Every structure is written in C-alpha cells, then in structure tokens.
Amino acid sequence: MRVLLTVISLVVLSSCGGSGTSKSPNQGISQNETIMADGSNVAGIYASDIWPVNYNLNLDKIGVVALRREGDQFSAFVKMKYAPKGIRLKQAIFTGRRCPSLIDDLNKDAYIDIQEALVAIGQITIPLDGRLDSQQAGLNDFPATDSSTGMFSYQEEASFARMFADLKVADENPSDNIIKLGADEGITFPGRVVLFQGLNPGAFLPTSVASRDGLSAYDTLPVGCAVLWKVENLPDVQ
C-alpha cells in the first residue's frame, strides 16, 4: 500500500506541477519587490491555488488563498472546497519559498508531517486567524471547516500599520516557530508559502507521523499549501 501511495503521488506531481512548485504563474507581472523597512513595498493582490501536501489524502486542488493591501487596509481570504471535514484549520504565512514535497518525506512512510515540512516552510510570520494585526492575540482563534462537506471560507481584515508594527515588537518567545522582524527588516509576499494544517481524528495516520508543541499529529499535519504570487485581480474567494 505504501508503494502504491507513493506511485500515485509521483503521477499527480508530474501531471500538475505539485505543491512543491515555486514558479510564478504570472509571467506578465513583476514579482520583484524592493523590501522596505516600513512595509511600503506591499501593495495590491497576492494569490495562489492551494494544493494538497499529502496526496494520499487528496488528489486535486483544494482551494485558493489571497492577500490584498489597499492603503492601510490589509485583507486575507481563503476558500476551500475539499478541506478536511469538521476541524479547526490552522493557517499561516511562512518564511519559506517552497511547499513540502515527496523529497521531504524522510522516513518514507508516505506522509509528510510537520517536522519534515519545516525544512521547506521555515517559520511563521503572519497567522491567518481571528486577529491579523497580532501574531499572538488570535493564535488559537482559527475558523472551522464544514462538518458535512469540508467546505471552508475565511476572510479577515486589519490595519496594515498595526499588523506591521506588531511584527516589529520584541520577540517574547524566541524558541517558538513564530518569527518577528528586525527594526531594519521588511516583508514581501511573492514566493512566500502559506501552509494549512489539520486533519479529522477519524482519518488513518501511521504512528510514524510526527508532531510538535505537544499537539497531536492530527492537529499539525500539513494538508494544503500555496506559494503566493502577485496578480492583477482578486480570485473567486467569496
């Protein structure tokens, strides 16, 4: 069964590009931003399709994610059709520039767990939770997927100035996987990874699937990933 799952994953990755791709699909739009310490380089819309990380759980595109900055308004959108049913879906923007792929399945158990994914995704910069303007205030306030269909919709807005200021305050817990920006550092979204975590406890997972932070493997399993790129128009996220 493990060999079969691996073969299926390889076929899907070959046919659609897979979740590990970091190539921009928007060749007519410049993806090069000069990172500014005041965040002024962030403007417009950044979006991408969301693809499965573990293709033995899902074989198709599962949704779309988008960010938008207009003046001081910063908005995040997520729409999924095939998310795991009835779970709180953890979602965040990371420092990494590629999604986890089969090369990251180091123990060859046909599942890419969060420990294996960290090599690709890096550290969290912005959790997509109930408080975009604070890394910590809304950290446990993640929305839930529909218990019957697995459909998922998320939309949150915040002041960009407040959000950016929060990214620059002192890091009170440097041992966690959430990173702050230095005084002279900025942020850019083209090529950045958005990861989605969470699986219904009724699903099968082998005991070899690792977790972290004292959570169960179901809470932390990567189920979807996207690499953001700058686009002209907001995709269908309503």
Side-chain angles (χ1 to χ4, degrees):
M1 177 60 74
R2 181 183 301 173
V3 173
L4 177 60
L5 291 173
T6 302
V7 171
I8 291 174
S9 298
L10 284 170
V11 170
V12 175
L13 285 167
S14 298
S15 63
C16 70
S19 62
T21 182
S22 59
K23 183 179 179 181
S24 169
N26 304 287
Q27 299 299 325
I29 303 175
S30 174
Q31 304 297 326
N32 297 318
E33 289 185 342
T34 301
I35 302 176
M36 306 296 290
D38 62 357
S40 57
N41 57 289
V42 177
I45 302 169
Y46 309 83
S48 181
D49 291 335
I50 304 167
W51 291 91
V53 174
N54 288 287
Y55 279 88
N56 44 3
L57 300 175
N58 201 312
L59 292 172
D60 201 358
K61 184 184 85 171
I62 58 178
V64 62
V65 56
L67 308 175
R68 179 173 61 190
R69 183 191 178 186
E70 293 181 329
D72 189 45
Q73 183 184 65
F74 181 76
S75 307
F77 310 85
V78 179
K79 183 177 182 180
M80 290 191 189
K81 189 175 181 180
Y82 302 111
K85 299 176 182 178
I87 56 103
R88 291 202 172 274
L89 198 65
K90 296 179 177 64
Q91 45 185 14
I93 303 168
F94 285 74
T95 59
R97 291 186 173 273
R98 71 173 180 87
C99 288
S101 65
L102 287 175
I103 63 172
D104 300 303
D105 181 17
L106 301 181
N107 62 4
K108 305 304 178 186
D109 64 355
Y111 289 84
I112 302 168
D113 59 47
I114 188 59
Q115 294 285 16
E116 294 168 326
L118 286 175
V119 174
I121 64 176
Q123 295 175 289
I124 294 172
T125 51
I126 303 174
L128 301 182
D129 53 22
R131 283 285 305 274
L132 286 177
D133 59 0
S134 171
Q135 285 182 329
Q136 297 295 330
L139 197 54
N140 294 316
D141 184 18
F142 289 103
T145 64
D146 187 270
S147 59
S148 299
T149 65
M151 293 186 70
F152 177 80
S153 181
Y154 167 86
Q155 180 175 341
E156 193 71 28
E157 297 178 354
S159 159
F160 182 84
R162 287 199 305 268
M163 184 190 74
F164 196 73
D166 179 76
L167 292 175
K168 294 215 171 189
V169 301
D171 193 344
E172 296 180 356
N173 185 9
S175 63
D176 66 12
N177 198 41
I178 303 176
I179 194 171
K180 292 289 187 180
L181 300 177
D184 297 326
E185 290 182 309
I187 193 169
T188 183
F189 291 124
R192 294 297 183 186
V193 163
V194 185
L195 190 77
F196 302 85
Q197 299 169 259
L199 185 65
N200 191 296
F204 168 77
L205 282 182
T207 57
S208 55
V209 175
S211 186
R212 59 175 291 141
D213 301 325
L215 300 172
S216 76
Y218 292 96
D219 291 328
T220 63
L221 187 77
V223 294
C225 187
V227 179
L228 293 167
W229 298 108
K230 196 159 192 175
V231 297
E232 290 183 351
N233 301 303
L234 191 70
D236 179 15
V237 289
Q238 303 301 322

